Amino acid sequence: MLARVAELRALEDRAAQASAKSKPVFDKRGQLLPRERVALLLDPGAPYVPLCTLAGFLQDTRDPGTSVPGGGIVAGMGFVAGVRCMVVASDSGIEAGAIQPRGLEKILRVQEIALENRLPFVHLVESAGANLTKYKVEGFVHGGSLFRNLARLSAAGIPVITVQHGSGTAGGAYMPGLSDVVVMVRGRSRAFLAGPPLLMAATGEVATEEELGGAEMHTTVSGLGEYLAQDDREALGIARQVVASVRETARTGPVEASPAPQAGGASGPACDPDDLLALMPTHHREPVDMHEVMARIADGSRLLAFKPLYGAATLCVQARIGGHAVGLISNNGPIDVAGANKATHFIQWMCQLGHPIVYLQNTTGYMVGKDSEQGGMIKHGSKMIQAVTNATVPQITIQCGASFGAGNYGMCGRGFAPRFLFSWPQARTAVMGGEQAARTMQIVAEAGMARKGIAPDPVQMQAQFDHIVQVFESQADVFHTSGLVLDDGVIDPRDTRAVLAFCLDTCAEAAAREPRRMQFGVARM
């Protein structure tokens, strides 16, 4: 597990180093690097949860040794002037901040998180827009959702604040256009629907960048910008003042950052969270008692098991994490008929109590076999899926180990829209294991050949078997699935409690906030 955590950190660092290579250029222009901007915006020492750090991994190139993750975007939840916010920054140190396919998915996901959790959206923009040499029409079409979400955030009473550090061209110009407040930087900010080259190609008109969309023009003539800063630092300082000014209308609870729970503290687990490194086996076939995981993330390691003797392979437990009462659901084996019924009952019980539900995925799926089918596995599993789908409390998923088959659905996988979903470095996600898939296809192929009177070729059958195993196993790996933005990030198991506490705080604040909803988003005047 430590080796996998080290690999994760190395990949994240690779993106930071790739961006930092542009530092001489940024220094020459008097600019800060994207990660420096984020660091200055955030409250020092306050909790921060980065999101989707592996987005795009293995999508730019299939070589794991050179692929740069992150999707060209830095994103995370943190505190700005005491307010819990969603902070997004164009990673303009890489390809000038051009929007990458998985980067688009990443920003759409964090916008969804901001909308659902009523988080003010602070956007640090410097983007070359779409890379026309890698143009995909589907990216253009789906890209409209980015702007739709900005309008939805504003209409929901959730402030959208943009610092325009550099260029925003064509569709990118709508990022400040659809923001409630825009801070621009003298001599650096640009926003226009058509830059000088496109303008000349389309109309023959000749104009400078400053005339078309410079910071001074927009803050004095067009009105696109509200504040004109002299440099990045001043712009970020203004943004912090703007966030502070909306603090009282954005939230109803205390404005101080909630401290991250500390292992061994008054409310920390009695069991050492470092044990989480060794508890999860390397291979999903090895058994693990998920009670041990729960005991290392719960306050005081205190667990109240629900129906412990019924459907014992499905664990339903009440506990507290960071002071929040929660229901924990996990798996010590396949989900059987009793387990599905138990989980359904427990989910409804948590909804009645108003307690968030945390799913700790470690499942090979729902039980199969003659007895299981005759016992009504399909209908009972469907009841569990109904309960997960329609639960009225926040649901958070941690993919700890295996996440196979319909068990991924029943345990609130990505397709069931949990409020947050994070993975451990050993997690694996697939419709089934690679060997099971290969063996299934082998049986089907051999049966088809037998019907035709053809003897199977052992060498050919083994080659097909090995190929299917390789395809399934490579796609099941968590770094691959996280690269596809199928989770909100891969985390060190030892950070699970702190991440959950932060997310639970976020959910609680969202419930307490009373945004001033409007019929439309704030229109620029």
Side-chain angles (χ1 to χ4, degrees):
M1 185 69 84
L2 282 171
R4 290 289 279 180
V5 171
E7 186 178 354
L8 167 66
R9 298 295 177 239
L11 288 173
E12 293 173 332
D13 190 53
R14 182 186 297 172
Q17 289 180 6
S19 183
K21 289 180 181 178
S22 299
K23 183 171 175 56
V25 176
F26 277 68
D27 288 346
K28 185 177 180 180
R29 297 189 305 220
Q31 289 185 296
L32 298 170
L33 285 168
R35 285 167 179 77
E36 293 174 333
R37 294 168 182 168
V38 171
L40 277 175
L41 179 71
L42 294 168
D43 294 350
Y48 173 73
V49 177
L51 296 169
C52 306
T53 59
L54 296 189
F57 181 58
L58 298 180
Q59 303 305 304
D60 52 346
T61 172
R62 290 299 178 183
D63 180 4
T66 60
S67 178
V68 178
I73 292 172
V74 179
M77 297 179 291
F79 288 87
V80 178
V83 179
R84 193 184 302 262
C85 295
M86 179 64 73
V87 176
V88 179
S90 311
D91 196 346
S92 47
I94 300 175
E95 296 184 358
I99 297 175
Q100 302 174 22
R102 299 301 173 185
L104 175 59
E105 291 187 34
K106 176 174 177 174
I107 194 170
L108 293 179
R109 171 58 185 156
V110 300
Q111 286 179 326
E112 179 184 330
I113 291 173
L115 188 61
E116 189 169 22
N117 293 282
R118 300 175 178 177
L119 297 173
F121 192 84
V122 185
H123 200 179
L124 311 182
V125 177
E126 184 174 33
S127 173
N131 187 334
L132 297 182
T133 64
K134 300 178 181 178
Y135 171 74
K136 299 283 187 182
V137 67
E138 62 269 26
F140 159 68
V141 173
H142 293 310
S145 298
L146 188 161
F147 309 122
R148 174 175 179 267
N149 286 341
L150 293 175
R152 293 172 66 207
L153 283 161
S154 182
I158 301 169
V160 178
I161 300 160
T162 288
V163 179
Q164 190 77 28
H165 289 279
S167 179
T169 305
Y174 286 106
M175 292 181 187
L178 288 162
S179 300
D180 301 331
V181 174
V182 177
V183 183
M184 290 192 159
V185 180
R186 187 188 300 274
R188 296 307 321 166
S189 298
R190 300 282 188 273
F192 29 58
L193 296 179
L198 178 56
L199 182 67
M200 177 175 285
T203 69
E205 184 179 354
V206 178
T208 66
E209 288 190 342
E210 183 61 37
E211 290 172 329
L212 278 176
E216 289 189 55
M217 188 281 286
H218 280 310
T219 53
T220 61
V221 178
S222 78
L224 180 65
E226 278 68 55
Y227 301 97
L228 179 63
Q230 299 305 309
D231 56 24
D232 283 350
R233 289 179 182 275
E234 184 182 7
L236 294 166
I238 294 171
R240 286 180 54 82
Q241 293 180 58
V242 172
V243 173
S245 73
V246 303
R247 180 168 52 206
E248 297 307 317
T249 57
R251 51 187 290 145
T252 57
V255 299
E256 295 301 320
S258 301
Q262 299 296 317
S267 63
C271 300
D272 189 352
D274 284 354
D275 295 341
L276 294 173
L277 292 170
L279 280 173
M280 190 56 58
T282 303
H283 198 283
H284 64 267
R285 288 180 176 175
E286 299 176 35
V288 58
D289 185 357
M290 294 300 289
H291 284 109
E292 298 293 340
V293 173
M294 295 178 179
R296 284 155 179 82
I297 63 175
D299 294 0
S301 299
R302 292 183 292 273
L303 307 175
L304 176 61
F306 179 81
K307 300 174 87 147
L309 303 181
Y310 179 80
T314 299
L315 312 183
C316 297
V317 172
Q318 289 179 256
R320 301 187 81 87
I321 296 177
H324 297 277
V326 298
L328 303 173
I329 301 178
S330 191
N331 326 97
N332 277 352
I335 305 170
D336 57 16
V337 167
N341 279 317
K342 171 180 170 178
T344 301
H345 184 174
F346 185 70
I347 291 168
Q348 293 175 342
W349 172 228
M350 291 301 99
C351 290
Q352 187 178 62
L353 295 178
H355 294 174
I357 301 169
V358 176
Y359 298 84
L360 303 173
Q361 285 196 1
N362 180 46
T363 178
T364 53
Y366 285 92
M367 184 69 77
V368 297
K370 183 176 65 176
D371 291 342
S372 179
E373 298 287 8
Q374 292 180 356
M377 187 69 259
I378 294 174
K379 68 178 184 181
H380 295 299
S382 296
K383 286 192 299 189
M384 179 177 173
I385 289 174
Q386 286 271 15
V388 172
T389 301
N390 297 298
T392 55
V393 295
Q395 300 183 101
I396 303 172
T397 300
I398 306 291
Q399 293 188 326
C400 301
S403 180
F404 290 164
N408 174 277
Y409 304 159
M411 289 294 293
C412 202
R414 173 64 103 200
F416 285 76
R419 191 74 72 95
F420 299 98
L421 188 153
F422 294 95
S423 302
W424 283 6
Q426 296 281 29
R428 301 186 70 78
T429 303
V431 67
M432 63 182 71
E435 292 185 5
Q436 288 86 349
R439 180 58 181 154
T440 299
M441 293 304 297
Q442 187 177 47
I443 292 171
V444 171
E446 289 176 349
M449 290 179 182
R451 286 194 298 270
K452 298 176 182 177
I454 302 173
D457 180 346
V459 175
Q460 183 180 0
M461 296 303 293
Q462 185 61 46
Q464 176 181 300
F465 185 95
D466 294 342
H467 173 70
I468 293 174
V469 170
Q470 189 277 328
V471 168
F472 270 74
E473 293 302 317
S474 64
Q475 293 191 53
D477 184 81
V478 68
F479 290 170
H480 179 87
T481 54
S482 193
L484 295 171
V485 199
L486 296 178
D487 61 22
D488 296 326
V490 182
I491 62 173
D492 186 323
R494 295 168 292 186
D495 295 334
T496 304
R497 173 179 161 77
V499 170
L500 283 172
F502 187 100
C503 291
L504 289 165
D505 284 346
T506 302
C507 295
E509 286 184 12
R513 282 177 178 162
E514 297 180 0
R516 299 175 184 272
R517 297 183 181 276
M518 302 183 294
Q519 186 176 1
F520 295 98
V522 173
R524 312 211 57 78
M525 300 299 177

Short mmCIF file of all heavy atoms in Angstrom, two decimals, residues 4 7 11 54 57-58 64 282 399 401 404 423-430 469-484 486-487 490:
data_model
loop_
_atom_site.label_atom_id
_atom_site.label_comp_id
_atom_site.label_asym_id
_atom_site.label_seq_id
_atom_site.Cartn_x
_atom_site.Cartn_y
_atom_site.Cartn_z
N ARG A 4 2.03 1.97 -3.44
CA ARG A 4 0.97 2.56 -4.27
C ARG A 4 0.77 4.03 -3.90
O ARG A 4 0.53 4.88 -4.77
CB ARG A 4 -0.33 1.79 -4.10
CG ARG A 4 -0.33 0.40 -4.72
CD ARG A 4 -0.35 0.48 -6.24
NE ARG A 4 -1.70 0.72 -6.75
CZ ARG A 4 -1.99 0.83 -8.04
NH1 ARG A 4 -1.04 0.76 -8.94
NH2 ARG A 4 -3.24 1.04 -8.43
N GLU A 7 3.47 5.93 -5.48
CA GLU A 7 3.22 6.07 -6.91
C GLU A 7 2.20 7.18 -7.18
O GLU A 7 2.35 7.97 -8.11
CB GLU A 7 2.73 4.74 -7.48
CG GLU A 7 2.59 4.72 -8.99
CD GLU A 7 2.15 3.36 -9.51
OE1 GLU A 7 2.06 2.40 -8.72
OE2 GLU A 7 1.87 3.27 -10.73
N LEU A 11 2.86 10.71 -9.26
CA LEU A 11 2.05 11.14 -10.40
C LEU A 11 1.53 12.56 -10.18
O LEU A 11 1.55 13.39 -11.10
CB LEU A 11 0.89 10.18 -10.62
CG LEU A 11 1.24 8.80 -11.20
CD1 LEU A 11 0.02 7.89 -11.19
CD2 LEU A 11 1.78 8.94 -12.61
N LEU A 54 -5.84 12.78 -10.61
CA LEU A 54 -5.35 11.88 -11.65
C LEU A 54 -6.14 12.00 -12.95
O LEU A 54 -5.93 11.22 -13.88
CB LEU A 54 -5.37 10.43 -11.18
CG LEU A 54 -4.45 10.06 -10.01
CD1 LEU A 54 -4.44 8.55 -9.79
CD2 LEU A 54 -3.04 10.58 -10.22
N PHE A 57 -5.06 10.79 -16.65
CA PHE A 57 -3.92 9.88 -16.63
C PHE A 57 -4.13 8.75 -17.63
O PHE A 57 -5.20 8.15 -17.68
CB PHE A 57 -3.73 9.31 -15.22
CG PHE A 57 -2.55 8.36 -15.10
CD1 PHE A 57 -1.28 8.79 -15.43
CD2 PHE A 57 -2.74 7.07 -14.67
CE1 PHE A 57 -0.19 7.92 -15.32
CE2 PHE A 57 -1.66 6.20 -14.56
CZ PHE A 57 -0.39 6.63 -14.89
N LEU A 58 -3.15 8.52 -18.46
CA LEU A 58 -3.15 7.51 -19.53
C LEU A 58 -4.10 7.87 -20.68
O LEU A 58 -4.33 7.05 -21.56
CB LEU A 58 -3.49 6.12 -18.99
CG LEU A 58 -2.51 5.54 -17.97
CD1 LEU A 58 -2.97 4.15 -17.52
CD2 LEU A 58 -1.11 5.47 -18.55
N PRO A 64 2.52 4.97 -19.06
CA PRO A 64 2.38 5.43 -17.67
C PRO A 64 3.59 6.18 -17.16
O PRO A 64 3.51 6.89 -16.16
CB PRO A 64 2.17 4.12 -16.89
CG PRO A 64 2.75 3.05 -17.75
CD PRO A 64 2.54 3.49 -19.16
N THR A 282 -3.62 -7.31 -0.82
CA THR A 282 -3.19 -6.95 -2.17
C THR A 282 -4.18 -7.47 -3.21
O THR A 282 -4.45 -6.81 -4.21
CB THR A 282 -1.79 -7.54 -2.45
OG1 THR A 282 -0.90 -7.05 -1.46
CG2 THR A 282 -1.28 -7.13 -3.83
N GLN A 399 -14.10 3.69 -2.11
CA GLN A 399 -13.81 2.40 -2.73
C GLN A 399 -12.50 1.90 -2.11
O GLN A 399 -11.42 2.33 -2.49
CB GLN A 399 -13.69 2.55 -4.24
CG GLN A 399 -15.02 2.90 -4.89
CD GLN A 399 -14.97 2.85 -6.42
OE1 GLN A 399 -13.95 3.17 -7.01
NE2 GLN A 399 -16.06 2.46 -7.04
N GLY A 401 -11.57 -1.59 -1.63
CA GLY A 401 -11.01 -2.77 -2.28
C GLY A 401 -11.73 -3.06 -3.57
O GLY A 401 -11.80 -2.23 -4.47
N PHE A 404 -17.00 -4.79 -7.77
CA PHE A 404 -17.30 -5.60 -8.95
C PHE A 404 -18.80 -5.75 -9.18
O PHE A 404 -19.61 -5.77 -8.23
CB PHE A 404 -16.69 -6.99 -8.81
CG PHE A 404 -15.17 -7.01 -8.90
CD1 PHE A 404 -14.46 -8.12 -8.49
CD2 PHE A 404 -14.47 -5.93 -9.41
CE1 PHE A 404 -13.07 -8.15 -8.57
CE2 PHE A 404 -13.09 -5.96 -9.51
CZ PHE A 404 -12.38 -7.07 -9.08
N SER A 423 -11.25 6.94 -3.67
CA SER A 423 -10.74 5.57 -3.78
C SER A 423 -9.43 5.42 -3.02
O SER A 423 -8.68 6.38 -2.86
CB SER A 423 -10.49 5.20 -5.26
OG SER A 423 -11.65 5.31 -6.02
N TRP A 424 -9.18 4.20 -2.58
CA TRP A 424 -7.89 3.83 -2.02
C TRP A 424 -6.99 3.31 -3.15
O TRP A 424 -7.50 2.86 -4.19
CB TRP A 424 -8.05 2.75 -0.97
CG TRP A 424 -8.56 3.24 0.36
CD1 TRP A 424 -8.97 4.50 0.66
CD2 TRP A 424 -8.70 2.47 1.55
NE1 TRP A 424 -9.37 4.57 1.97
CE2 TRP A 424 -9.21 3.34 2.55
CE3 TRP A 424 -8.44 1.15 1.89
CZ2 TRP A 424 -9.45 2.91 3.84
CZ3 TRP A 424 -8.70 0.71 3.17
CH2 TRP A 424 -9.19 1.59 4.16
N PRO A 425 -5.68 3.35 -2.95
CA PRO A 425 -4.75 2.94 -4.02
C PRO A 425 -4.86 1.49 -4.47
O PRO A 425 -4.38 1.15 -5.55
CB PRO A 425 -3.37 3.23 -3.42
CG PRO A 425 -3.61 4.30 -2.41
CD PRO A 425 -4.95 3.96 -1.82
N GLN A 426 -5.47 0.62 -3.66
CA GLN A 426 -5.61 -0.78 -4.05
C GLN A 426 -6.99 -1.09 -4.63
O GLN A 426 -7.27 -2.25 -4.95
CB GLN A 426 -5.37 -1.70 -2.83
CG GLN A 426 -3.97 -1.63 -2.25
CD GLN A 426 -2.96 -2.44 -3.06
OE1 GLN A 426 -3.11 -2.61 -4.26
NE2 GLN A 426 -1.92 -2.92 -2.40
N ALA A 427 -7.84 -0.09 -4.75
CA ALA A 427 -9.21 -0.33 -5.23
C ALA A 427 -9.20 -0.80 -6.69
O ALA A 427 -8.34 -0.43 -7.48
CB ALA A 427 -10.04 0.95 -5.10
N ARG A 428 -10.18 -1.63 -7.00
CA ARG A 428 -10.33 -2.14 -8.37
C ARG A 428 -11.81 -2.13 -8.73
O ARG A 428 -12.65 -2.55 -7.93
CB ARG A 428 -9.75 -3.55 -8.51
CG ARG A 428 -8.28 -3.62 -8.15
CD ARG A 428 -7.68 -4.97 -8.44
NE ARG A 428 -7.56 -5.24 -9.86
CZ ARG A 428 -6.61 -4.73 -10.63
NH1 ARG A 428 -5.71 -3.91 -10.13
NH2 ARG A 428 -6.53 -5.04 -11.91
N THR A 429 -12.12 -1.67 -9.94
CA THR A 429 -13.50 -1.54 -10.38
C THR A 429 -13.68 -2.24 -11.72
O THR A 429 -12.93 -1.97 -12.66
CB THR A 429 -13.90 -0.06 -10.53
OG1 THR A 429 -13.68 0.61 -9.30
CG2 THR A 429 -15.36 0.07 -10.93
N ALA A 430 -14.66 -3.13 -11.80
CA ALA A 430 -14.91 -3.84 -13.06
C ALA A 430 -16.26 -4.55 -12.97
O ALA A 430 -16.80 -4.76 -11.89
CB ALA A 430 -13.81 -4.87 -13.35
N VAL A 469 -7.98 -11.18 -19.92
CA VAL A 469 -7.52 -10.89 -18.56
C VAL A 469 -6.77 -9.56 -18.53
O VAL A 469 -7.00 -8.71 -17.66
CB VAL A 469 -6.61 -12.02 -18.03
CG1 VAL A 469 -5.94 -11.59 -16.71
CG2 VAL A 469 -7.41 -13.30 -17.81
N GLN A 470 -5.89 -9.36 -19.50
CA GLN A 470 -5.09 -8.13 -19.54
C GLN A 470 -5.98 -6.90 -19.72
O GLN A 470 -5.78 -5.87 -19.05
CB GLN A 470 -4.07 -8.23 -20.68
CG GLN A 470 -3.03 -7.10 -20.69
CD GLN A 470 -3.51 -5.83 -21.36
OE1 GLN A 470 -4.30 -5.88 -22.31
NE2 GLN A 470 -3.05 -4.68 -20.87
N VAL A 471 -6.97 -7.00 -20.61
CA VAL A 471 -7.88 -5.88 -20.86
C VAL A 471 -8.65 -5.51 -19.60
O VAL A 471 -8.74 -4.34 -19.21
CB VAL A 471 -8.85 -6.20 -22.01
CG1 VAL A 471 -9.97 -5.17 -22.08
CG2 VAL A 471 -8.11 -6.27 -23.34
N PHE A 472 -9.20 -6.51 -18.93
CA PHE A 472 -10.00 -6.26 -17.73
C PHE A 472 -9.14 -5.74 -16.58
O PHE A 472 -9.50 -4.78 -15.90
CB PHE A 472 -10.74 -7.53 -17.31
CG PHE A 472 -12.10 -7.67 -17.92
CD1 PHE A 472 -12.24 -8.01 -19.25
CD2 PHE A 472 -13.24 -7.45 -17.18
CE1 PHE A 472 -13.50 -8.13 -19.83
CE2 PHE A 472 -14.51 -7.57 -17.73
CZ PHE A 472 -14.63 -7.90 -19.07
N GLU A 473 -7.99 -6.39 -16.37
CA GLU A 473 -7.16 -6.01 -15.23
C GLU A 473 -6.59 -4.61 -15.39
O GLU A 473 -6.51 -3.85 -14.43
CB GLU A 473 -6.02 -7.03 -15.05
CG GLU A 473 -6.50 -8.43 -14.63
CD GLU A 473 -7.29 -8.41 -13.33
OE1 GLU A 473 -6.89 -7.70 -12.38
OE2 GLU A 473 -8.33 -9.09 -13.27
N SER A 474 -6.19 -4.23 -16.61
CA SER A 474 -5.63 -2.89 -16.82
C SER A 474 -6.69 -1.81 -16.60
O SER A 474 -6.39 -0.75 -16.04
CB SER A 474 -5.03 -2.78 -18.23
OG SER A 474 -6.04 -2.92 -19.22
N GLN A 475 -7.92 -2.08 -17.02
CA GLN A 475 -8.98 -1.09 -16.85
C GLN A 475 -9.53 -1.04 -15.43
O GLN A 475 -10.14 -0.04 -15.03
CB GLN A 475 -10.12 -1.37 -17.83
CG GLN A 475 -9.73 -1.15 -19.29
CD GLN A 475 -10.94 -1.18 -20.20
OE1 GLN A 475 -11.91 -0.47 -20.00
NE2 GLN A 475 -10.86 -2.01 -21.23
N ALA A 476 -9.34 -2.12 -14.68
CA ALA A 476 -9.84 -2.17 -13.31
C ALA A 476 -8.97 -1.37 -12.35
O ALA A 476 -9.43 -0.95 -11.29
CB ALA A 476 -9.94 -3.62 -12.83
N ASP A 477 -7.71 -1.14 -12.72
CA ASP A 477 -6.77 -0.46 -11.84
C ASP A 477 -7.27 0.94 -11.48
O ASP A 477 -7.76 1.68 -12.34
CB ASP A 477 -5.40 -0.36 -12.52
CG ASP A 477 -4.37 0.25 -11.60
OD1 ASP A 477 -3.83 -0.46 -10.75
OD2 ASP A 477 -4.11 1.47 -11.73
N VAL A 478 -7.10 1.32 -10.23
CA VAL A 478 -7.67 2.58 -9.74
C VAL A 478 -7.04 3.80 -10.40
O VAL A 478 -7.72 4.82 -10.60
CB VAL A 478 -7.55 2.66 -8.20
CG1 VAL A 478 -6.11 2.81 -7.76
CG2 VAL A 478 -8.40 3.81 -7.65
N PHE A 479 -5.78 3.73 -10.77
CA PHE A 479 -5.17 4.87 -11.43
C PHE A 479 -5.79 5.07 -12.81
O PHE A 479 -5.92 6.20 -13.28
CB PHE A 479 -3.66 4.70 -11.54
CG PHE A 479 -2.93 4.78 -10.22
CD1 PHE A 479 -1.60 4.44 -10.12
CD2 PHE A 479 -3.59 5.19 -9.07
CE1 PHE A 479 -0.93 4.51 -8.91
CE2 PHE A 479 -2.94 5.26 -7.84
CZ PHE A 479 -1.59 4.92 -7.76
N HIS A 480 -6.18 3.97 -13.46
CA HIS A 480 -6.85 4.08 -14.76
C HIS A 480 -8.25 4.66 -14.59
O HIS A 480 -8.63 5.60 -15.31
CB HIS A 480 -6.93 2.70 -15.42
CG HIS A 480 -7.61 2.70 -16.75
ND1 HIS A 480 -6.95 2.95 -17.93
CD2 HIS A 480 -8.91 2.51 -17.10
CE1 HIS A 480 -7.80 2.90 -18.94
NE2 HIS A 480 -9.00 2.64 -18.47
N THR A 481 -9.02 4.12 -13.65
CA THR A 481 -10.40 4.61 -13.47
C THR A 481 -10.42 6.05 -12.97
O THR A 481 -11.26 6.85 -13.36
CB THR A 481 -11.18 3.71 -12.49
OG1 THR A 481 -10.45 3.59 -11.25
CG2 THR A 481 -11.38 2.32 -13.08
N SER A 482 -9.46 6.42 -12.12
CA SER A 482 -9.40 7.80 -11.64
C SER A 482 -9.00 8.74 -12.78
O SER A 482 -9.46 9.88 -12.84
CB SER A 482 -8.41 7.93 -10.48
OG SER A 482 -8.56 9.16 -9.82
N GLY A 483 -8.17 8.24 -13.70
CA GLY A 483 -7.82 9.04 -14.87
C GLY A 483 -9.01 9.35 -15.74
O GLY A 483 -9.04 10.35 -16.45
N LEU A 484 -10.03 8.47 -15.68
CA LEU A 484 -11.27 8.67 -16.42
C LEU A 484 -12.29 9.49 -15.64
O LEU A 484 -13.45 9.60 -16.04
CB LEU A 484 -11.88 7.31 -16.80
CG LEU A 484 -11.04 6.45 -17.77
CD1 LEU A 484 -11.64 5.05 -17.89
CD2 LEU A 484 -10.96 7.11 -19.13
N LEU A 486 -13.67 8.75 -12.80
CA LEU A 486 -14.72 7.90 -12.25
C LEU A 486 -14.74 7.93 -10.73
O LEU A 486 -15.50 7.20 -10.09
CB LEU A 486 -14.54 6.45 -12.75
CG LEU A 486 -14.69 6.29 -14.28
CD1 LEU A 486 -14.46 4.84 -14.69
CD2 LEU A 486 -16.07 6.74 -14.73
N ASP A 487 -13.88 8.76 -10.14
CA ASP A 487 -13.95 9.05 -8.72
C ASP A 487 -13.55 10.51 -8.53
O ASP A 487 -13.24 11.21 -9.49
CB ASP A 487 -13.08 8.10 -7.88
CG ASP A 487 -11.59 8.18 -8.24
OD1 ASP A 487 -11.17 9.22 -8.80
OD2 ASP A 487 -10.85 7.22 -7.97
N VAL A 490 -7.95 9.76 -5.62
CA VAL A 490 -7.38 8.64 -4.87
C VAL A 490 -6.73 9.21 -3.62
O VAL A 490 -5.99 10.20 -3.70
CB VAL A 490 -6.33 7.88 -5.72
CG1 VAL A 490 -5.77 6.69 -4.95
CG2 VAL A 490 -6.96 7.40 -7.03
#
